[in-house]
Amino acid sequence: MGKLNQCVADMKHYAPIVLLLALCNSLWGQADSGSKNASPFTYSILYKGDWVSSFKGGVKSGSSYAGIATAHLAFDLEKARWWKGGLLQVYLSNTHGQQPSERLVGAYQAVSNIEAGNRTFFQEFWFEQTVGQLSLKLGIQDLNVEFSANDFGSSFINSSFGIQSTFNDNLPASIFPVTGFGGILKWSISAMHTAKIGLFEGNPSCLSIDPWVFRIPFFEKSGTLNIFEYSYSGAIPVGANGFYKLGMYYHNHTSPAQAADTNHAGHNYGFYFVGNQPLYRRSDHSSLNLFTQLSLSPIKQSSNHLYWGVGLSYKGPSWHVPDELGLAFAQARFNESNAPLESVWECFYRYSFGQYFYLQPSAQYIVNPMRFGYPLNDAFLAIVRFGFHFEPR
């Protein structure tokens, strides 16, 4: 009951925000009801919950729960008739529950991509201005939204299929749940080619909604994370358009003391590749999709110097078109001589209930769980995720 009460207490942060979103949207619509898309405000409420059960291996057998609720607000300055190309977006999140990767499995690659303990914070809070083929985004950002994003792996529950494990522990990157301030300049060269460059805080800290936690970005001299990505979208011999991303990053601290405080090397760098390729698509909107991932970092500066992953997802496998079925494999390699790798297998099935709800059972098999620097017995676990996504139309 204690955890439930804490969850309810944390969720009270959302009540005034949800009411504000609805009020803004309603008032603007009444002020200009003659236009079909009069309101510059859009908002949505999302919830995901994972019930995780470990049956063998790892740290111990047992069950735990992790959840995340997110309130999203967007304000389009062009629709508000302020100026063209401006967009403001806010994502306020509350995570609650336990962390099964540490408590049950001992996995280096987090078995649930929403586990983050009990906290309420601005996951993202940024402004973007677009002028022609260029756009500039400034604010609190999740790096993985713009860089190294694996669209075809986003439905998998293990975190490595969303972003390569080399980002998570080798350097303090601005990635959920610890996001920080950053700037991204994007150049849409053509419909097929895009280039992005980003500058982020070198040691981001999670931002609470309590105002006294806010601080001046980069003021603490914690270094920077610089990242570049080139992406290509186009058809290859199999026929359907694919998405291919190639990127590199460089992270540095400004002092040995800062590096010691964060338990990371004074500098680090790496390269990554993400490939998303539909193998076929049908007129009934069903498709078979393939993704591949690869990332490399220097051995001397990295505990996890190599990651690779591959997976298949099939959307619309039955008469129920929104359904999705997936199977994927990932492997992270380490410097430890006693167990140099951790491997993950995951399969899932996602079933949608109407417009807003879905249920997603998943199974994972972890070979050599390595969170604690030494191998544990192979772990087998099952996860049942349920989700809710409400967005007024």
Side-chain angles (χ1 to χ4, degrees), residues 49-54 57-67 96-117 157-158 364 366 369 371-372 376 379-385:
D50 287 346
W51 183 259
V52 183
S53 298
S54 179
V59 177
K60 62 179 181 179
S61 298
S63 299
S64 66
Y65 180 81
H96 45 273
Q98 298 170 320
Q99 296 177 274
S101 296
E102 180 175 355
R103 178 176 176 268
L104 299 177
V105 186
Y108 180 91
Q109 301 170 87
V111 300
S112 169
N113 53 19
I114 63 172
E115 57 178 292
I157 294 176
N158 191 284
Q364 295 184 32
I366 316 294
R371 174 175 286 263
F372 305 114
L376 299 173
F380 175 70
L381 60 143
I383 301 176
V384 177
R385 168 172 289 184

mmCIF file of all heavy atoms in Angstrom, residues 49-54 57-67 96-117 157-158 364 366 369 371-372 376 379-385:
data_model
loop_
_atom_site.group_PDB
_atom_site.id
_atom_site.type_symbol
_atom_site.label_atom_id
_atom_site.label_comp_id
_atom_site.label_asym_id
_atom_site.label_seq_id
_atom_site.Cartn_x
_atom_site.Cartn_y
_atom_site.Cartn_z
ATOM 1 N N GLY A 49 2.350 0.556 -18.310
ATOM 2 C CA GLY A 49 2.656 -0.198 -17.101
ATOM 3 C C GLY A 49 3.194 -1.565 -17.458
ATOM 4 O O GLY A 49 2.661 -2.230 -18.355
ATOM 5 N N ASP A 50 4.266 -1.985 -16.783
ATOM 6 C CA ASP A 50 4.897 -3.286 -17.024
ATOM 7 C C ASP A 50 4.850 -4.132 -15.762
ATOM 8 O O ASP A 50 5.388 -3.734 -14.707
ATOM 9 C CB ASP A 50 6.362 -3.118 -17.439
ATOM 10 C CG ASP A 50 6.524 -2.598 -18.851
ATOM 11 O OD1 ASP A 50 5.532 -2.621 -19.602
ATOM 12 O OD2 ASP A 50 7.640 -2.160 -19.198
ATOM 13 N N TRP A 51 4.202 -5.297 -15.853
ATOM 14 C CA TRP A 51 4.259 -6.290 -14.782
ATOM 15 C C TRP A 51 5.309 -7.322 -15.197
ATOM 16 O O TRP A 51 5.139 -8.026 -16.179
ATOM 17 C CB TRP A 51 2.904 -6.944 -14.560
ATOM 18 C CG TRP A 51 2.921 -7.908 -13.407
ATOM 19 C CD1 TRP A 51 3.006 -9.256 -13.475
ATOM 20 C CD2 TRP A 51 2.874 -7.572 -12.016
ATOM 21 N NE1 TRP A 51 3.021 -9.808 -12.216
ATOM 22 C CE2 TRP A 51 2.940 -8.793 -11.300
ATOM 23 C CE3 TRP A 51 2.793 -6.365 -11.315
ATOM 24 C CZ2 TRP A 51 2.920 -8.833 -9.893
ATOM 25 C CZ3 TRP A 51 2.776 -6.408 -9.923
ATOM 26 C CH2 TRP A 51 2.834 -7.631 -9.236
ATOM 27 N N VAL A 52 6.417 -7.359 -14.462
ATOM 28 C CA VAL A 52 7.576 -8.185 -14.818
ATOM 29 C C VAL A 52 7.676 -9.365 -13.866
ATOM 30 O O VAL A 52 7.689 -9.184 -12.643
ATOM 31 C CB VAL A 52 8.880 -7.358 -14.763
ATOM 32 C CG1 VAL A 52 10.070 -8.203 -15.205
ATOM 33 C CG2 VAL A 52 8.760 -6.106 -15.632
ATOM 34 N N SER A 53 7.773 -10.568 -14.417
ATOM 35 C CA SER A 53 7.933 -11.786 -13.617
ATOM 36 C C SER A 53 9.172 -12.527 -14.083
ATOM 37 O O SER A 53 9.284 -12.883 -15.265
ATOM 38 C CB SER A 53 6.701 -12.688 -13.745
ATOM 39 O OG SER A 53 5.540 -12.043 -13.250
ATOM 40 N N SER A 54 10.118 -12.754 -13.161
ATOM 41 C CA SER A 54 11.343 -13.504 -13.454
ATOM 42 C C SER A 54 11.174 -14.923 -12.938
ATOM 43 O O SER A 54 10.897 -15.129 -11.745
ATOM 44 C CB SER A 54 12.541 -12.828 -12.782
ATOM 45 O OG SER A 54 13.733 -13.554 -13.036
ATOM 46 N N GLY A 57 17.038 -17.874 -12.937
ATOM 47 C CA GLY A 57 18.295 -17.184 -13.153
ATOM 48 C C GLY A 57 18.287 -15.755 -12.632
ATOM 49 O O GLY A 57 17.418 -15.347 -11.864
ATOM 50 N N GLY A 58 19.284 -14.984 -13.063
ATOM 51 C CA GLY A 58 19.394 -13.598 -12.640
ATOM 52 C C GLY A 58 19.690 -13.473 -11.157
ATOM 53 O O GLY A 58 20.384 -14.304 -10.568
ATOM 54 N N VAL A 59 19.150 -12.441 -10.532
ATOM 55 C CA VAL A 59 19.339 -12.209 -9.105
ATOM 56 C C VAL A 59 18.444 -13.125 -8.286
ATOM 57 O O VAL A 59 18.882 -13.798 -7.345
ATOM 58 C CB VAL A 59 19.053 -10.729 -8.761
ATOM 59 C CG1 VAL A 59 19.166 -10.485 -7.261
ATOM 60 C CG2 VAL A 59 19.999 -9.812 -9.520
ATOM 61 N N LYS A 60 17.149 -13.147 -8.644
ATOM 62 C CA LYS A 60 16.197 -13.988 -7.929
ATOM 63 C C LYS A 60 14.912 -14.069 -8.738
ATOM 64 O O LYS A 60 14.667 -13.250 -9.631
ATOM 65 C CB LYS A 60 15.892 -13.422 -6.546
ATOM 66 C CG LYS A 60 15.236 -12.044 -6.576
ATOM 67 C CD LYS A 60 14.938 -11.550 -5.165
ATOM 68 C CE LYS A 60 14.257 -10.176 -5.206
ATOM 69 N NZ LYS A 60 13.933 -9.676 -3.847
ATOM 70 N N SER A 61 14.101 -15.044 -8.419
ATOM 71 C CA SER A 61 12.776 -15.145 -9.021
ATOM 72 C C SER A 61 11.825 -14.212 -8.278
ATOM 73 O O SER A 61 12.011 -13.905 -7.103
ATOM 74 C CB SER A 61 12.260 -16.580 -8.956
ATOM 75 O OG SER A 61 13.111 -17.446 -9.681
ATOM 76 N N GLY A 62 10.785 -13.762 -8.979
ATOM 77 C CA GLY A 62 9.828 -12.879 -8.350
ATOM 78 C C GLY A 62 9.181 -11.964 -9.359
ATOM 79 O O GLY A 62 9.402 -12.100 -10.574
ATOM 80 N N SER A 63 8.400 -11.026 -8.862
ATOM 81 C CA SER A 63 7.662 -10.106 -9.732
ATOM 82 C C SER A 63 7.824 -8.676 -9.239
ATOM 83 O O SER A 63 8.084 -8.433 -8.055
ATOM 84 C CB SER A 63 6.171 -10.465 -9.771
ATOM 85 O OG SER A 63 5.978 -11.770 -10.286
ATOM 86 N N SER A 64 7.675 -7.739 -10.156
ATOM 87 C CA SER A 64 7.704 -6.322 -9.804
ATOM 88 C C SER A 64 6.916 -5.542 -10.845
ATOM 89 O O SER A 64 6.607 -6.059 -11.926
ATOM 90 C CB SER A 64 9.143 -5.796 -9.713
ATOM 91 O OG SER A 64 9.765 -5.820 -10.986
ATOM 92 N N TYR A 65 6.626 -4.279 -10.519
ATOM 93 C CA TYR A 65 5.832 -3.435 -11.400
ATOM 94 C C TYR A 65 6.554 -2.114 -11.626
ATOM 95 O O TYR A 65 7.156 -1.543 -10.708
ATOM 96 C CB TYR A 65 4.452 -3.163 -10.801
ATOM 97 C CG TYR A 65 3.583 -2.284 -11.677
ATOM 98 C CD1 TYR A 65 2.891 -2.821 -12.754
ATOM 99 C CD2 TYR A 65 3.494 -0.914 -11.438
ATOM 100 C CE1 TYR A 65 2.110 -2.015 -13.572
ATOM 101 C CE2 TYR A 65 2.707 -0.102 -12.249
ATOM 102 C CZ TYR A 65 2.023 -0.665 -13.317
ATOM 103 O OH TYR A 65 1.266 0.137 -14.129
ATOM 104 N N ALA A 66 6.499 -1.620 -12.862
ATOM 105 C CA ALA A 66 7.035 -0.304 -13.206
ATOM 106 C C ALA A 66 6.041 0.388 -14.123
ATOM 107 O O ALA A 66 5.434 -0.253 -14.997
ATOM 108 C CB ALA A 66 8.396 -0.424 -13.884
ATOM 109 N N GLY A 67 5.875 1.691 -13.937
ATOM 110 C CA GLY A 67 4.924 2.428 -14.761
ATOM 111 C C GLY A 67 5.400 3.825 -15.070
ATOM 112 O O GLY A 67 6.285 4.367 -14.390
ATOM 113 N N HIS A 96 7.099 5.428 -11.666
ATOM 114 C CA HIS A 96 6.842 4.853 -10.347
ATOM 115 C C HIS A 96 7.022 3.346 -10.417
ATOM 116 O O HIS A 96 7.049 2.741 -11.489
ATOM 117 C CB HIS A 96 5.421 5.210 -9.868
ATOM 118 C CG HIS A 96 4.384 5.030 -10.933
ATOM 119 N ND1 HIS A 96 4.077 6.027 -11.848
ATOM 120 C CD2 HIS A 96 3.612 3.966 -11.277
ATOM 121 C CE1 HIS A 96 3.130 5.595 -12.679
ATOM 122 N NE2 HIS A 96 2.841 4.340 -12.349
ATOM 123 N N GLY A 97 7.170 2.749 -9.247
ATOM 124 C CA GLY A 97 7.367 1.307 -9.184
ATOM 125 C C GLY A 97 8.826 0.940 -8.978
ATOM 126 O O GLY A 97 9.668 1.774 -8.631
ATOM 127 N N GLN A 98 9.128 -0.316 -9.220
ATOM 128 C CA GLN A 98 10.462 -0.855 -8.966
ATOM 129 C C GLN A 98 11.275 -0.923 -10.253
ATOM 130 O O GLN A 98 10.779 -0.600 -11.340
ATOM 131 C CB GLN A 98 10.327 -2.232 -8.320
ATOM 132 C CG GLN A 98 9.609 -2.178 -6.966
ATOM 133 C CD GLN A 98 9.253 -3.560 -6.452
ATOM 134 O OE1 GLN A 98 8.844 -4.440 -7.209
ATOM 135 N NE2 GLN A 98 9.385 -3.750 -5.145
ATOM 136 N N GLN A 99 12.536 -1.357 -10.117
ATOM 137 C CA GLN A 99 13.439 -1.473 -11.252
ATOM 138 C C GLN A 99 13.866 -2.936 -11.397
ATOM 139 O O GLN A 99 14.852 -3.374 -10.797
ATOM 140 C CB GLN A 99 14.648 -0.553 -11.066
ATOM 141 C CG GLN A 99 14.243 0.915 -11.049
ATOM 142 C CD GLN A 99 15.404 1.853 -10.797
ATOM 143 O OE1 GLN A 99 15.762 2.137 -9.668
ATOM 144 N NE2 GLN A 99 16.010 2.331 -11.877
ATOM 145 N N PRO A 100 13.128 -3.705 -12.197
ATOM 146 C CA PRO A 100 13.365 -5.159 -12.286
ATOM 147 C C PRO A 100 14.727 -5.534 -12.839
ATOM 148 O O PRO A 100 15.243 -6.613 -12.516
ATOM 149 C CB PRO A 100 12.240 -5.641 -13.203
ATOM 150 C CG PRO A 100 11.815 -4.426 -13.971
ATOM 151 C CD PRO A 100 12.004 -3.273 -13.043
ATOM 152 N N SER A 101 15.333 -4.688 -13.680
ATOM 153 C CA SER A 101 16.651 -5.032 -14.229
ATOM 154 C C SER A 101 17.683 -5.220 -13.132
ATOM 155 O O SER A 101 18.552 -6.083 -13.227
ATOM 156 C CB SER A 101 17.123 -3.937 -15.198
ATOM 157 O OG SER A 101 16.275 -3.852 -16.310
ATOM 158 N N GLU A 102 17.588 -4.416 -12.094
ATOM 159 C CA GLU A 102 18.521 -4.514 -10.969
ATOM 160 C C GLU A 102 18.014 -5.467 -9.897
ATOM 161 O O GLU A 102 18.768 -6.302 -9.397
ATOM 162 C CB GLU A 102 18.746 -3.133 -10.356
ATOM 163 C CG GLU A 102 19.709 -3.122 -9.184
ATOM 164 C CD GLU A 102 19.996 -1.731 -8.678
ATOM 165 O OE1 GLU A 102 19.524 -0.768 -9.308
ATOM 166 O OE2 GLU A 102 20.678 -1.605 -7.647
ATOM 167 N N ARG A 103 16.742 -5.374 -9.570
ATOM 168 C CA ARG A 103 16.193 -6.118 -8.438
ATOM 169 C C ARG A 103 16.026 -7.606 -8.731
ATOM 170 O O ARG A 103 16.277 -8.465 -7.865
ATOM 171 C CB ARG A 103 14.849 -5.515 -8.054
ATOM 172 C CG ARG A 103 14.122 -6.211 -6.927
ATOM 173 C CD ARG A 103 12.854 -5.478 -6.551
ATOM 174 N NE ARG A 103 12.098 -6.195 -5.540
ATOM 175 C CZ ARG A 103 11.144 -7.064 -5.813
ATOM 176 N NH1 ARG A 103 10.820 -7.319 -7.077
ATOM 177 N NH2 ARG A 103 10.488 -7.672 -4.833
ATOM 178 N N LEU A 104 15.605 -7.956 -9.950
ATOM 179 C CA LEU A 104 15.295 -9.345 -10.272
ATOM 180 C C LEU A 104 16.299 -10.010 -11.205
ATOM 181 O O LEU A 104 16.678 -11.156 -11.000
ATOM 182 C CB LEU A 104 13.901 -9.435 -10.905
ATOM 183 C CG LEU A 104 12.710 -8.974 -10.062
ATOM 184 C CD1 LEU A 104 11.430 -9.077 -10.874
ATOM 185 C CD2 LEU A 104 12.610 -9.786 -8.777
ATOM 186 N N VAL A 105 16.705 -9.283 -12.253
ATOM 187 C CA VAL A 105 17.431 -9.913 -13.357
ATOM 188 C C VAL A 105 18.934 -9.675 -13.286
ATOM 189 O O VAL A 105 19.730 -10.551 -13.638
ATOM 190 C CB VAL A 105 16.882 -9.417 -14.715
ATOM 191 C CG1 VAL A 105 17.532 -10.178 -15.865
ATOM 192 C CG2 VAL A 105 15.372 -9.583 -14.771
ATOM 193 N N GLY A 106 19.350 -8.487 -12.860
ATOM 194 C CA GLY A 106 20.775 -8.157 -12.887
ATOM 195 C C GLY A 106 21.284 -7.938 -14.296
ATOM 196 O O GLY A 106 22.446 -8.202 -14.591
ATOM 197 N N ALA A 107 20.410 -7.410 -15.174
ATOM 198 C CA ALA A 107 20.769 -7.236 -16.575
ATOM 199 C C ALA A 107 21.368 -5.860 -16.810
ATOM 200 O O ALA A 107 20.879 -4.851 -16.294
ATOM 201 C CB ALA A 107 19.543 -7.424 -17.470
ATOM 202 N N TYR A 108 22.422 -5.816 -17.607
ATOM 203 C CA TYR A 108 23.041 -4.552 -18.019
ATOM 204 C C TYR A 108 22.109 -3.797 -18.965
ATOM 205 O O TYR A 108 21.918 -2.596 -18.838
ATOM 206 C CB TYR A 108 24.373 -4.857 -18.694
ATOM 207 C CG TYR A 108 25.139 -3.657 -19.182
ATOM 208 C CD1 TYR A 108 26.064 -3.013 -18.369
ATOM 209 C CD2 TYR A 108 24.960 -3.173 -20.470
ATOM 210 C CE1 TYR A 108 26.780 -1.912 -18.814
ATOM 211 C CE2 TYR A 108 25.664 -2.076 -20.932
ATOM 212 C CZ TYR A 108 26.576 -1.450 -20.103
ATOM 213 O OH TYR A 108 27.273 -0.360 -20.560
ATOM 214 N N GLN A 109 21.537 -4.518 -19.918
ATOM 215 C CA GLN A 109 20.566 -3.943 -20.843
ATOM 216 C C GLN A 109 19.186 -4.017 -20.183
ATOM 217 O O GLN A 109 18.666 -5.105 -19.973
ATOM 218 C CB GLN A 109 20.590 -4.698 -22.168
ATOM 219 C CG GLN A 109 21.957 -4.683 -22.836
ATOM 220 C CD GLN A 109 22.051 -5.634 -24.014
ATOM 221 O OE1 GLN A 109 21.715 -5.286 -25.131
ATOM 222 N NE2 GLN A 109 22.520 -6.847 -23.762
ATOM 223 N N ALA A 110 18.628 -2.857 -19.841
ATOM 224 C CA ALA A 110 17.403 -2.808 -19.045
ATOM 225 C C ALA A 110 16.283 -3.592 -19.708
ATOM 226 O O ALA A 110 15.980 -3.395 -20.893
ATOM 227 C CB ALA A 110 16.974 -1.360 -18.828
ATOM 228 N N VAL A 111 15.649 -4.467 -18.939
ATOM 229 C CA VAL A 111 14.602 -5.330 -19.499
ATOM 230 C C VAL A 111 13.333 -4.548 -19.794
ATOM 231 O O VAL A 111 12.507 -4.985 -20.609
ATOM 232 C CB VAL A 111 14.306 -6.519 -18.561
ATOM 233 C CG1 VAL A 111 15.546 -7.364 -18.364
ATOM 234 C CG2 VAL A 111 13.748 -6.050 -17.224
ATOM 235 N N SER A 112 13.135 -3.394 -19.127
ATOM 236 C CA SER A 112 11.976 -2.545 -19.384
ATOM 237 C C SER A 112 12.454 -1.136 -19.692
ATOM 238 O O SER A 112 13.218 -0.553 -18.911
ATOM 239 C CB SER A 112 11.034 -2.518 -18.170
ATOM 240 O OG SER A 112 10.046 -1.516 -18.327
ATOM 241 N N ASN A 113 11.993 -0.577 -20.804
ATOM 242 C CA ASN A 113 12.451 0.757 -21.190
ATOM 243 C C ASN A 113 11.695 1.880 -20.500
ATOM 244 O O ASN A 113 11.860 3.052 -20.853
ATOM 245 C CB ASN A 113 12.361 0.936 -22.713
ATOM 246 C CG ASN A 113 10.987 0.616 -23.270
ATOM 247 O OD1 ASN A 113 9.992 0.581 -22.554
ATOM 248 N ND2 ASN A 113 10.925 0.376 -24.576
ATOM 249 N N ILE A 114 10.869 1.557 -19.486
ATOM 250 C CA ILE A 114 10.181 2.607 -18.728
ATOM 251 C C ILE A 114 10.587 2.597 -17.261
ATOM 252 O O ILE A 114 10.161 3.481 -16.505
ATOM 253 C CB ILE A 114 8.648 2.489 -18.841
ATOM 254 C CG1 ILE A 114 8.157 1.176 -18.237
ATOM 255 C CG2 ILE A 114 8.192 2.621 -20.286
ATOM 256 C CD1 ILE A 114 6.639 1.087 -18.132
ATOM 257 N N GLU A 115 11.390 1.664 -16.811
ATOM 258 C CA GLU A 115 11.755 1.600 -15.397
ATOM 259 C C GLU A 115 12.703 2.747 -15.049
ATOM 260 O O GLU A 115 13.705 2.981 -15.716
ATOM 261 C CB GLU A 115 12.394 0.254 -15.058
ATOM 262 C CG GLU A 115 13.622 -0.111 -15.873
ATOM 263 C CD GLU A 115 14.213 -1.439 -15.444
ATOM 264 O OE1 GLU A 115 14.749 -1.528 -14.325
ATOM 265 O OE2 GLU A 115 14.142 -2.392 -16.249
ATOM 266 N N ALA A 116 12.380 3.480 -13.986
ATOM 267 C CA ALA A 116 13.200 4.635 -13.602
ATOM 268 C C ALA A 116 13.015 5.019 -12.141
ATOM 269 O O ALA A 116 13.432 6.098 -11.741
ATOM 270 C CB ALA A 116 12.877 5.820 -14.498
ATOM 271 N N GLY A 117 12.380 4.178 -11.340
ATOM 272 C CA GLY A 117 12.155 4.523 -9.947
ATOM 273 C C GLY A 117 10.983 5.481 -9.798
ATOM 274 O O GLY A 117 10.124 5.589 -10.672
ATOM 275 N N ILE A 157 10.225 -4.028 -25.715
ATOM 276 C CA ILE A 157 10.240 -3.531 -24.347
ATOM 277 C C ILE A 157 11.658 -3.396 -23.808
ATOM 278 O O ILE A 157 11.936 -2.478 -23.029
ATOM 279 C CB ILE A 157 9.385 -4.445 -23.445
ATOM 280 C CG1 ILE A 157 7.904 -4.352 -23.881
ATOM 281 C CG2 ILE A 157 9.530 -4.086 -21.983
ATOM 282 C CD1 ILE A 157 6.976 -5.272 -23.131
ATOM 283 N N ASN A 158 12.579 -4.261 -24.193
ATOM 284 C CA ASN A 158 13.964 -4.123 -23.744
ATOM 285 C C ASN A 158 14.551 -2.815 -24.263
ATOM 286 O O ASN A 158 14.375 -2.454 -25.429
ATOM 287 C CB ASN A 158 14.802 -5.304 -24.229
ATOM 288 C CG ASN A 158 16.165 -5.356 -23.569
ATOM 289 O OD1 ASN A 158 17.067 -4.588 -23.892
ATOM 290 N ND2 ASN A 158 16.311 -6.264 -22.626
ATOM 291 N N GLN A 364 11.438 -12.521 -22.520
ATOM 292 C CA GLN A 364 12.849 -12.221 -22.736
ATOM 293 C C GLN A 364 13.714 -13.316 -22.123
ATOM 294 O O GLN A 364 13.403 -13.842 -21.041
ATOM 295 C CB GLN A 364 13.236 -10.865 -22.134
ATOM 296 C CG GLN A 364 12.571 -9.678 -22.777
ATOM 297 C CD GLN A 364 13.066 -8.351 -22.201
ATOM 298 O OE1 GLN A 364 14.224 -8.215 -21.798
ATOM 299 N NE2 GLN A 364 12.178 -7.365 -22.167
ATOM 300 N N ILE A 366 17.759 -13.677 -21.127
ATOM 301 C CA ILE A 366 18.998 -12.919 -20.971
ATOM 302 C C ILE A 366 20.138 -13.887 -20.710
ATOM 303 O O ILE A 366 20.115 -14.633 -19.728
ATOM 304 C CB ILE A 366 18.912 -11.908 -19.812
ATOM 305 C CG1 ILE A 366 17.575 -11.159 -19.832
ATOM 306 C CG2 ILE A 366 20.093 -10.964 -19.848
ATOM 307 C CD1 ILE A 366 17.371 -10.267 -21.008
ATOM 308 N N PRO A 369 23.558 -12.203 -17.557
ATOM 309 C CA PRO A 369 23.233 -10.865 -17.042
ATOM 310 C C PRO A 369 24.457 -10.242 -16.365
ATOM 311 O O PRO A 369 25.054 -10.846 -15.479
ATOM 312 C CB PRO A 369 22.112 -11.140 -16.033
ATOM 313 C CG PRO A 369 21.503 -12.439 -16.472
ATOM 314 C CD PRO A 369 22.642 -13.241 -17.031
ATOM 315 N N ARG A 371 24.919 -6.753 -15.101
ATOM 316 C CA ARG A 371 24.794 -5.435 -14.469
ATOM 317 C C ARG A 371 25.833 -5.219 -13.373
ATOM 318 O O ARG A 371 26.330 -4.101 -13.171
ATOM 319 C CB ARG A 371 23.394 -5.269 -13.884
ATOM 320 C CG ARG A 371 23.213 -3.988 -13.084
ATOM 321 C CD ARG A 371 21.767 -3.825 -12.649
ATOM 322 N NE ARG A 371 20.932 -3.431 -13.771
ATOM 323 C CZ ARG A 371 20.575 -2.185 -14.037
ATOM 324 N NH1 ARG A 371 20.998 -1.189 -13.274
ATOM 325 N NH2 ARG A 371 19.800 -1.904 -15.059
ATOM 326 N N PHE A 372 26.211 -6.249 -12.650
ATOM 327 C CA PHE A 372 27.096 -6.103 -11.504
ATOM 328 C C PHE A 372 28.554 -6.406 -11.826
ATOM 329 O O PHE A 372 29.381 -6.533 -10.935
ATOM 330 C CB PHE A 372 26.605 -6.980 -10.358
ATOM 331 C CG PHE A 372 25.174 -6.715 -9.982
ATOM 332 C CD1 PHE A 372 24.205 -7.681 -10.187
ATOM 333 C CD2 PHE A 372 24.794 -5.485 -9.468
ATOM 334 C CE1 PHE A 372 22.883 -7.440 -9.858
ATOM 335 C CE2 PHE A 372 23.475 -5.226 -9.151
ATOM 336 C CZ PHE A 372 22.507 -6.201 -9.340
ATOM 337 N N LEU A 376 25.746 -13.602 -14.118
ATOM 338 C CA LEU A 376 24.766 -14.357 -13.354
ATOM 339 C C LEU A 376 24.204 -15.466 -14.236
ATOM 340 O O LEU A 376 24.435 -15.497 -15.452
ATOM 341 C CB LEU A 376 23.645 -13.426 -12.897
ATOM 342 C CG LEU A 376 24.046 -12.258 -11.992
ATOM 343 C CD1 LEU A 376 22.854 -11.334 -11.763
ATOM 344 C CD2 LEU A 376 24.598 -12.749 -10.669
ATOM 345 N N ALA A 379 18.766 -15.727 -17.416
ATOM 346 C CA ALA A 379 17.466 -15.386 -16.840
ATOM 347 C C ALA A 379 16.370 -15.505 -17.888
ATOM 348 O O ALA A 379 16.558 -15.126 -19.054
ATOM 349 C CB ALA A 379 17.494 -13.971 -16.273
ATOM 350 N N PHE A 380 15.225 -15.998 -17.451
ATOM 351 C CA PHE A 380 14.033 -16.048 -18.296
ATOM 352 C C PHE A 380 12.928 -15.273 -17.591
ATOM 353 O O PHE A 380 12.646 -15.504 -16.412
ATOM 354 C CB PHE A 380 13.583 -17.486 -18.536
ATOM 355 C CG PHE A 380 12.285 -17.585 -19.294
ATOM 356 C CD1 PHE A 380 12.217 -17.241 -20.640
ATOM 357 C CD2 PHE A 380 11.126 -17.993 -18.659
ATOM 358 C CE1 PHE A 380 11.024 -17.306 -21.344
ATOM 359 C CE2 PHE A 380 9.931 -18.072 -19.353
ATOM 360 C CZ PHE A 380 9.880 -17.725 -20.695
ATOM 361 N N LEU A 381 12.296 -14.349 -18.300
ATOM 362 C CA LEU A 381 11.261 -13.524 -17.690
ATOM 363 C C LEU A 381 10.143 -13.243 -18.678
ATOM 364 O O LEU A 381 10.335 -13.307 -19.895
ATOM 365 C CB LEU A 381 11.847 -12.211 -17.180
ATOM 366 C CG LEU A 381 12.518 -11.293 -18.209
ATOM 367 C CD1 LEU A 381 12.253 -9.838 -17.896
ATOM 368 C CD2 LEU A 381 14.039 -11.538 -18.194
ATOM 369 N N ALA A 382 9.000 -12.933 -18.125
ATOM 370 C CA ALA A 382 7.836 -12.537 -18.918
ATOM 371 C C ALA A 382 7.380 -11.163 -18.453
ATOM 372 O O ALA A 382 7.447 -10.836 -17.265
ATOM 373 C CB ALA A 382 6.706 -13.549 -18.766
ATOM 374 N N ILE A 383 6.940 -10.341 -19.401
ATOM 375 C CA ILE A 383 6.451 -8.999 -19.112
ATOM 376 C C ILE A 383 5.083 -8.832 -19.766
ATOM 377 O O ILE A 383 4.905 -9.178 -20.939
ATOM 378 C CB ILE A 383 7.413 -7.918 -19.648
ATOM 379 C CG1 ILE A 383 8.801 -8.079 -19.015
ATOM 380 C CG2 ILE A 383 6.865 -6.522 -19.372
ATOM 381 C CD1 ILE A 383 9.831 -7.106 -19.556
ATOM 382 N N VAL A 384 4.156 -8.311 -19.017
ATOM 383 C CA VAL A 384 2.858 -7.944 -19.574
ATOM 384 C C VAL A 384 2.749 -6.427 -19.474
ATOM 385 O O VAL A 384 2.717 -5.867 -18.373
ATOM 386 C CB VAL A 384 1.691 -8.612 -18.831
ATOM 387 C CG1 VAL A 384 0.360 -8.138 -19.417
ATOM 388 C CG2 VAL A 384 1.805 -10.131 -18.930
ATOM 389 N N ARG A 385 2.732 -5.763 -20.613
ATOM 390 C CA ARG A 385 2.602 -4.303 -20.668
ATOM 391 C C ARG A 385 1.179 -3.938 -21.073
ATOM 392 O O ARG A 385 0.619 -4.528 -22.002
ATOM 393 C CB ARG A 385 3.589 -3.697 -21.654
ATOM 394 C CG ARG A 385 3.331 -2.229 -21.995
ATOM 395 C CD ARG A 385 4.443 -1.621 -22.814
ATOM 396 N NE ARG A 385 5.656 -1.447 -22.011
ATOM 397 C CZ ARG A 385 6.758 -0.863 -22.450
ATOM 398 N NH1 ARG A 385 6.816 -0.380 -23.701
ATOM 399 N NH2 ARG A 385 7.814 -0.735 -21.667
#
